[in-house]
Amino acid sequence: MTINAEVPVAATGGGPVAAEQGVGGSTSATDLVLPLVAVGGVGILAGYGYVRRTRRARTRTTPGVVSPHPPVTPLPVLERQAGAALVQADDCVRTSRDELSFAEARFGATAVEPFVRALREAERELSAAFAIRLRYDAGVPEEEAARRHALAGIVGRCAEAGRRLDAEAPGFDQLRALEREMAEAQGVAEERFRELAGRTGTVEATLAELTTRYPATATASVVGYGEQAKDRLVFATTHLNQCRQAADLGETGRAIRDLRAAEGAISQADTFLNGIERLADALTAAADLIPAALTGAEAETARAAAQADELRSHLTHTDTVLAAVRGELTAGEYDPLDALRRIVRAVRALGGGRDGVLGAAARLTARHDVAATDDFVTTHRGAVAADARTLLAEAQRLLGTDPGAADEPALKSRELAEQDVRVHGNPHAGTTGLMSGTSGAVLGGILLEETPDGGPPLSFGGPETRARRAPHLRTD
């Protein structure tokens, strides 16, 4: 029908209304009330449904409906995600490296070749991710779209590093066969534990001698390392004993978890003790090298003095540094590594010092500083964030290409890592009912901080497999 402002008019053509008119001869206004109400109700419902569909399409994503304005993740959120990916991938690499050393001690280098190869591939992917992050922090690239792409590249590289380790985790477990060869694996760990326990007293005596011979700055990088090594060894003792008890009871899954926790602690105790011994060797080598380095530096200043005037200010600075080092040698107590480091830096400002005795001095200080920082990150990785790890990766890269330039990022990385640990604090300080050394094991990344007792021990593998020894994943 059609409706106007006056009276109803029948629609032309056949249909229910025309039929009624044919029977009754006319149609009253009362007869049209219900059809009009029905049409109006349909219109209202159709309009309401349209509004709801439109609103739903704009506010949330549903299958088959694409939002006209998809949400854009803020850049700071993407940066945090990329940083978290770097930390997780770096932790996976470090943990895999630790457990791989126990497998190699048990089965030999040939047997672990596939896993060493996977680890090297993961390290390359991670190094590429760190390189992208370093450029990103320097403002490259500049455009926001390109920066988003760079952050996606970081996450992608980290994911690939983890994937390579995850892919080899089942084969690695088959090699170790801890379910069948627990006694042999425990024997390897106990032998290494006994060797470290025997070294601890000697290393502590070495550190005590260093503190009497050199100023506090010379030994600051290893302060507390003796106590932390003993803390890890106490933790290892507890878990080795628990491992043996669980194995005797046939609780294989628990025995494996205790063994992995003990192995992680043993590795870190070894790192602490090696750090003290490395420092002692480096201080002795630096002290022996300083006289020759001073002679080489004087030759470099003489060469630079004959060149353009733009080196005048650098020459003045270099002369001041060399005079200060000579004064420290005469005074008696000084920090050989710091003195050698200052000589190398002063001469590099003149454009020299890359070869000969000064090149050797640069390699000595850089190797020590990079290794010391790596030790700190390894043993405190539960707290160290992405910034420190990125600078450490750059220092490790420079160590093979320009050792004199590796020193600065290594020292800055150590500074940032120590700040991270201070901010993080001890997650279990004041907590009762925890076994000895658990707090240090969580801080060191040996255990995941997920449960009151520190969480499961970590194993060889990437993000998907590294926590496979969790209690709910039973291997009994």
Side-chain angles (χ1 to χ4, degrees), residues 182 239-258 476:
M182 173 60 66
H239 283 275
L240 285 173
N241 290 335
Q242 291 179 176
C243 173
R244 190 169 292 280
Q245 293 168 5
D248 291 342
L249 293 173
E251 299 178 357
T252 307
R254 186 161 68 87
I256 292 175
R257 290 192 292 275
D258 283 314
D476 300 31

Side-chain angles (χ1 to χ4, degrees), residues 83-110:
L86 285 168
V87 169
Q88 185 181 65
D90 192 43
D91 283 351
C92 290
V93 165
R94 292 176 185 275
T95 299
S96 297
R97 189 184 297 136
D98 287 344
E99 187 175 3
L100 192 57
S101 67
F102 286 94
E104 184 172 354
R106 170 78 176 87
F107 299 103
T110 302

Side-chain angles (χ1 to χ4, degrees), residues 108-315:
T110 302
V112 299
E113 278 183 4
F115 313 108
V116 171
R117 186 163 54 250
L119 180 60
R120 296 292 176 264
E121 292 171 351
E123 289 172 341
R124 282 193 292 272
E125 294 290 341
L126 182 58
S127 295
F130 276 126
I132 298 172
R133 170 64 186 267
L134 188 71
R135 292 193 297 271
Y136 184 93
D137 290 343
V140 180
E142 296 181 356
E143 301 79 11
E144 180 174 337
R147 290 178 73 78
R148 289 176 177 276
H149 184 72
L151 293 173
I154 292 173
V155 173
R157 291 279 191 174
C158 291
E160 180 61 17
R163 187 197 66 78
R164 291 174 185 269
L165 295 174
D166 282 329
E168 296 298 332
F172 185 80
D173 287 346
Q174 290 179 5
L175 173 67
R176 295 207 74 185
L178 295 178
E179 293 80 4
R180 299 189 308 274
E181 300 187 20
M182 173 60 66
E184 292 81 356
Q186 188 172 19
V188 172
E190 290 176 343
E191 180 180 357
R192 193 167 171 185
F193 171 86
R194 287 190 292 270
E195 186 270 330
L196 291 173
R199 281 172 56 199
T200 302
T202 302
V203 174
E204 286 188 311
T206 298
L207 180 57
E209 182 184 358
L210 295 178
T211 58
T212 60
R213 185 188 305 178
Y214 301 107
T217 57
T219 57
S221 63
V222 297
V223 168
Y225 273 23
E227 289 77 9
Q228 292 184 73
K230 288 188 288 188
D231 180 75
R232 297 295 196 275
L233 290 176
V234 169
F235 179 86
T237 299
T238 300
H239 283 275
L240 285 173
N241 290 335
Q242 291 179 176
C243 173
R244 190 169 292 280
Q245 293 168 5
D248 291 342
L249 293 173
E251 299 178 357
T252 307
R254 186 161 68 87
I256 292 175
R257 290 192 292 275
D258 283 314
L259 176 64
R260 278 298 305 130
E263 288 176 342
I266 290 168
S267 291
Q268 293 198 5
D270 193 17
T271 298
F272 283 125
L273 297 180
N274 286 340
I276 296 173
E277 292 174 332
R278 185 192 307 111
L279 175 62
D281 293 340
L283 288 170
T284 299
D288 292 341
L289 194 55
I290 283 177
L294 283 171
T295 300
E298 290 167 354
E300 289 288 344
T301 57
R303 175 193 59 78
Q307 294 181 358
D309 291 340
E310 63 262 20
L311 294 177
R312 293 296 178 187
S313 62
H314 295 303
L315 278 169

Side-chain angles (χ1 to χ4, degrees), residues 65 105 160 177 199 255 293 326 363 367 387 400:
V65 178
E160 180 61 17
R199 281 172 56 199
R326 293 190 196 97
R363 289 189 293 274
R367 279 198 301 265
D387 290 345

